Amino acid sequence: MICLTLCIMFSCMKVYSQTAYITNQGDSSVSVVNVATNTVFATIPVGSQPYGVTVSSDGNKVYVVNQNNSSVSVINTITNTVSATIIVGGAPRGICVTPDGSKVYVANRNGNSVSVINTATNTVSTTISVGSGPWGVTVSPDGSNVYVTNIDVNTVTVINSANNTVSTTIPVGLSPRGESVSPDGTKLYVTNEGANTVSVINTSTNAVTATITVGGNPYGVVVTPDGTKVYVVNEGDNTVSVISTATNAVTSTVSVGLHPYGVSVSPDGSKIYVTNSGVTTISVINTATNTVSATVTVGAAPYAFGNFISSHTSGISSLSNELTRIAIYPNPTSGIFSISYHLSSINSLFQIEDITGRSVYTKNINGIDGKETIDVSDLNNGIYYWELINNNNISDKGKLVIMK
């Protein structure tokens, strides 16, 4: 009965903040970053030379391309473990999951093909022939079209996702790599690494309507949620070009780390995350000021080519007044977890209660900024509530899941 109740509660829960999943090609791992605190709270071993990455819209699964293994690792974000490994085509690069989560498309560099994965069975359901050198892959917001860049022939292949057939091919610039669709689905932005440009495609006519000069060797690209700006990562000169979609002009250039590659945007559009493959870091850009606000150390040679930010975390639904003065990770936990905090009071009390409101753990926190390890491995599996108490008042609270 306890197990059944817990499973039902998990199926109804939503996780609450954002999480970034960074593929580290140099050490065959994925760094899991809490976007609210810019801290790495888990590292997941995957296949050899992980490259492309995509996150399901419900935040429950992350799909990672392993170049050397010609495979895709499926990560369960509740446990932060690999739940399945799927063999695809040769030297896979880009990857994307459809908005409904039913299919994953993988660009196979050596096979000039795209593998289509049925996510219900974690098997390849079909393989589609595309242009020579498929690299990047993305999907329209409504899920109807999949776009694949072909670096050897300077084209974008458009796939009808309903029947998994090629509907058209669009000529673009030299050596196209990354691509991103506007939120309204009307425009596709493609980086041309060999030409230092971005092609703007009208998705209704499948024709290039503008070509924008950016920095050296552009790879990753992302459109902000409001559709007003495009951020382009320039691997060749260690910068990010900011494009106004109203004018198709570069309005700002942001210096980041060495050999930047992948890029994603937070769901609220306030932050841009850029992977720096040459210095094992990610740069966080404040979109209001277009300046780097933080740098986070991750694994070796981070690439994270694709959409690597979830609109969720590997935590659970927040309470309406939950704040970010304290971060708990991992959550769910096996019973041992860390809390990092930034408080206004030197003396605070951290307390855990069960679902009946009974206190089952307390710890005094003496300090303003810091990190503590909490061990409640003696508690049973289930859902608990944590509280941070200052001067007899609850200043923060949230939920904690123990799952052994």
Side-chain angles (χ1 to χ4, degrees), residues 214-278:
V214 290
N217 308 112
Y219 273 85
V221 57
V222 70
V223 186
T224 55
D226 63 4
T228 62
K229 290 183 282 189
V230 177
Y231 286 78
V232 179
V233 172
N234 306 305
E235 191 267 345
D237 57 18
N238 308 321
T239 64
V240 174
S241 297
V242 185
I243 297 170
S244 165
T245 59
T247 62
N248 284 330
V250 174
T251 58
S252 182
T253 302
V254 186
S255 294
V256 289
L258 183 65
H259 300 315
Y261 207 92
V263 61
S264 275
V265 60
S266 61
D268 64 1
S270 65
K271 298 176 184 177
I272 296 290
Y273 287 76
V274 177
T275 60
N276 304 307
S277 64

Side-chain angles (χ1 to χ4, degrees), residues 101-386:
S102 65
K103 290 181 283 190
V104 170
Y105 290 79
V106 183
N108 304 310
R109 169 74 174 91
N110 289 355
N112 300 330
S113 67
V114 170
S115 297
V116 184
I117 297 171
N118 180 327
T119 61
T121 61
N122 284 328
T123 58
V124 174
S125 58
T126 190
T127 301
I128 307 166
S129 294
V130 290
S132 179
W135 199 276
V137 58
T138 194
V139 62
S140 60
D142 63 3
S144 62
N145 290 309
V146 175
Y147 302 93
V148 182
T149 57
N150 306 301
I151 66 170
D152 294 338
V153 290
N154 309 324
T155 61
V156 172
T157 298
V158 184
I159 297 171
N160 182 328
S161 65
N163 53 26
N164 286 324
T165 59
V166 174
S167 57
T168 192
T169 301
I170 309 168
V172 287
L174 183 64
S175 190
R177 303 282 177 160
E179 51 190 345
S180 183
V181 186
S182 61
D184 62 5
T186 61
K187 295 179 182 178
L188 174 68
Y189 296 85
V190 178
T191 60
N192 303 304
E193 184 265 338
N196 300 335
T197 62
V198 170
S199 296
V200 184
I201 296 172
N202 181 322
T203 57
S204 296
T205 62
N206 287 322
V208 173
T209 58
T211 301
I212 307 164
T213 299
V214 290
N217 308 112
Y219 273 85
V221 57
V222 70
V223 186
T224 55
D226 63 4
T228 62
K229 290 183 282 189
V230 177
Y231 286 78
V232 179
V233 172
N234 306 305
E235 191 267 345
D237 57 18
N238 308 321
T239 64
V240 174
S241 297
V242 185
I243 297 170
S244 165
T245 59
T247 62
N248 284 330
V250 174
T251 58
S252 182
T253 302
V254 186
S255 294
V256 289
L258 183 65
H259 300 315
Y261 207 92
V263 61
S264 275
V265 60
S266 61
D268 64 1
S270 65
K271 298 176 184 177
I272 296 290
Y273 287 76
V274 177
T275 60
N276 304 307
S277 64
V279 287
T280 67
T281 63
I282 55 177
S283 297
V284 184
I285 298 173
N286 181 326
T287 57
T289 61
N290 284 326
T291 57
V292 173
S293 59
T295 302
V296 184
T297 299
V298 289
Y303 279 84
F305 187 69
N307 174 35
F308 55 77
I309 293 183
S310 169
S311 58
H312 309 287
T313 61
S314 52
I316 62 178
S317 59
S318 66
L319 301 179
S320 60
N321 62 343
E322 186 172 4
L323 304 176
T324 57
R325 285 187 286 248
I326 188 165
I328 296 178
Y329 50 94
N331 184 14
T333 174
S334 61
I336 299 176
F337 59 92
S338 296
I339 59 172
S340 60
Y341 51 87
H342 178 70
L343 309 174
S344 58
S345 174
I346 295 177
N347 298 310
S348 301
L349 180 69
F350 179 78
Q351 177 173 271
I352 299 175
E353 298 178 347
D354 64 17
I355 58 174
T356 68
R358 180 175 63 93
S359 176
V360 294
Y361 178 88
T362 58
K363 183 178 181 66
N364 289 315
I365 298 177
N366 300 312
I368 295 177
D369 295 283
K371 179 179 177 180
E372 301 276 354
T373 299
I374 307 294
D375 186 347
V376 288
S377 53
D378 58 324
L379 296 179
N380 294 326
N381 286 349
I383 296 178
Y384 297 83
Y385 296 89
W386 62 265

